[in-house]
């Protein structure tokens, strides 16, 4: 059912009416939690591309629905994908952009601290400290 509903959600996420976008975000959240691990990552990635522009919405109900949809999609796609969307705006010059990006990053960091370790850059060792992560080099 995911592929059949994707185009309907796509249209609702681009609608001018806030209620349609809010409802579509709730559907995306529940659908992404339902298909986590079932090989529907392509549809979830596609829906994330339509959910993401709504993070700048000012209505509290819509922004809560958007943030919940992003959290649901992070379960289906993994935190690394969401982090790659976040990196573009964490140090944006506009304060309003930085605020929402840091809010999403903090939520992601709280939920997936252990899963974000492999995505962090390597730090070279110095004379006093050893920063090498041996466990990540096994594979």
């Amino acid at each position: 059912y995911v592929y059949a509903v994707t185009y309907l959600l796509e249209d609702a996420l681009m609608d001018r009416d806030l209620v349609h976008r809010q409802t579509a975000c709730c559907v995306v959240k529940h659908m992404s939690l339902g298909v986590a691990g079932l090989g529907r990552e392509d549809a979830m990635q596609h829906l994330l591309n339509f959910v993401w522009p709504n993070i700048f919405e000012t209505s509290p109900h819509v922004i809560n629905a958007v943030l919940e949809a992003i959290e649901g999609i992070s379960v289906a796609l993994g935190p690394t994908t969401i982090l790659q969307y976040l990196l573009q705006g964490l140090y944006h010059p506009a304060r309003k952009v930085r605020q929402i990006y840091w809010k999403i990053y903090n939520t992601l960091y709280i939920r997936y601290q252990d899963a974000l370790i492999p995505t962090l850059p390597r730090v070279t060792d110095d004379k006093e400290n050893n920063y090498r992560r041996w466990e990540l080099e096994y594979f």
Side-chain angles (χ1 to χ4, degrees):
Y1 70 94
V2 175
Y3 297 115
V5 179
T6 299
Y7 297 108
L8 297 171
L9 292 172
E10 199 179 294
D11 186 48
L13 286 168
M14 291 186 297
D15 202 326
R16 293 180 61 140
D17 191 9
L18 294 175
V19 177
H20 290 157
R21 286 186 276 160
Q22 178 184 351
T23 306
C25 284
C26 289
V27 171
V28 168
K29 175 185 81 167
H30 289 289
M31 191 168 65
S32 62
L33 291 173
V35 301
L38 297 178
R40 302 293 187 262
E41 288 85 8
D42 56 341
M44 293 299 110
Q45 180 83 39
H46 182 70
L47 288 173
L48 178 61
N49 288 331
F50 288 95
V51 169
W52 197 263
N54 292 306
I55 63 172
F56 300 112
E57 191 58 53
T58 56
S59 170
H61 297 290
V62 176
I63 192 64
N64 284 339
V66 169
L67 294 177
E68 288 176 359
I70 291 172
E71 288 179 23
I73 291 175
S74 70
V75 172
L77 294 179
T80 304
T81 305
I82 306 298
L83 181 68
Q84 294 193 353
Y85 276 76
L86 283 172
L87 290 177
Q88 63 185 338
L90 287 178
Y91 298 103
H92 194 275
R95 183 178 53 84
K96 293 260 186 192
V97 174
R98 282 194 315 267
Q99 278 182 337
I100 189 65
Y101 273 85
W102 277 102
K103 183 176 183 179
I104 297 170
Y105 174 77
N106 289 335
T107 304
L108 193 73
Y109 183 75
I110 288 171
R111 291 191 68 181
Y112 298 107
Q113 289 179 5
D114 56 339
L116 290 175
I117 296 292
T119 63
L120 299 175
R122 290 185 181 203
V123 179
T124 57
D125 296 339
D126 56 14
K127 293 179 183 177
E128 298 175 10
N129 298 315
N130 183 8
Y131 296 110
R132 199 159 180 189
R133 296 172 286 184
W134 298 97
E135 295 83 10
L136 295 177
E137 296 176 5
Y138 290 155
F139 298 106

